[in-house]
Amino acid sequence: LYSQIIKRKLYLKYSIYYLILLISNELCSQGSAGYYDDRNFFYGYTDGAITKLEYIKIDTFFSARNYVAYLDNVGNFKLFYKNKKYTIIPIPPERITATNFLLAYSRGTFLGVFNGKESKRLQNFVTGNYKVGDSLIAFLDNFNMLKVYTFDTIQDLMLFTAVDSFDISDNMV
């Protein structure tokens, strides 16, 4: 009788742990993803739905918490967000950096961002040196002014002479 009580308590204890694990896994799981099928069709997954995005094999893609960004077969830079497909720019960016909250992209001296609401130009004349954290972007303009984009605003920090010596973490420059 005593061993049955212990077994029942252990069963209840491990059942509760398993239930907590399942719930936390569901809450922390990735919200979007991109993948190919066996015919190289490209699909996007977001908000619990799968959508066929491209029939011809794409070049590359970047998945984040709530979007999938990709370059199609002719070099258009596209975004799959909230079950809709958008063309951000009709030419491939030279550099793309995706985080959970921001998507930074550049071509030449142009720097753009998708911030979860909209895609927009941050700066037309950037030296090419920018770094991305989870929710901020630090960059140098053509006058070597160190600037930071966060929460939809751009802040001037300081004139900067050492071009490569700034660093960034998730929320700190």
Side-chain angles (χ1 to χ4, degrees), residues 102-128:
L102 294 175
L103 172 70
Y105 51 92
S106 65
R107 174 130 183 125
T109 61
F110 169 82
L111 177 62
V113 66
F114 173 73
N115 60 14
K117 295 180 280 184
E118 63 182 341
S119 178
K120 63 183 187 178
R121 172 191 59 83
L122 285 186
Q123 188 82 24
N124 276 336
F125 299 103
V126 176
T127 62

Side-chain angles (χ1 to χ4, degrees), residues 43 47 68 79 84 96 104 141 143 145 152 157 160 163:
Y43 293 85
D47 297 329
V68 177
L79 180 75
K84 292 187 180 178
I96 301 169
D141 67 6
F143 299 111
M145 175 65 75
D152 240 3
L157 292 185
F160 213 71
V163 176

Side-chain angles (χ1 to χ4, degrees), residues 125-159:
F125 299 103
V126 176
T127 62
N129 187 15
Y130 71 90
K131 297 182 182 179
V132 182
D134 209 30
S135 59
L136 55 88
I137 301 172
F139 60 94
L140 294 172
D141 67 6
N142 60 333
F143 299 111
N144 285 334
M145 175 65 75
L146 180 61
K147 297 183 176 187
V148 173
Y149 169 85
T150 186
F151 300 116
D152 240 3
T153 60
I154 298 174
Q155 300 291 326
D156 293 347
L157 292 185
M158 60 188 281
L159 281 173

Side-chain angles (χ1 to χ4, degrees), residues 131-138 166-173:
K131 297 182 182 179
V132 182
D134 209 30
S135 59
L136 55 88
I137 301 172
F166 72 93
D167 203 6
I168 193 168
S169 65
D170 285 344
N171 295 306
M172 188 183 325
V173 177

Side-chain angles (χ1 to χ4, degrees), residues 35-43 52-58:
Y35 68 93
Y36 303 99
D37 69 0
D38 59 340
R39 296 171 292 179
N40 282 329
F41 292 170
F42 182 63
Y43 293 85
K52 188 184 295 185
L53 299 175
E54 299 292 332
Y55 295 94
I56 300 173
K57 186 173 177 8
I58 64 166

Side-chain angles (χ1 to χ4, degrees), residues 1-10:
L1 181 67
Y2 181 71
S3 65
Q4 288 179 343
I5 293 173
I6 292 177
K7 284 181 184 179
R8 202 172 268 178
K9 284 184 178 181
L10 283 175

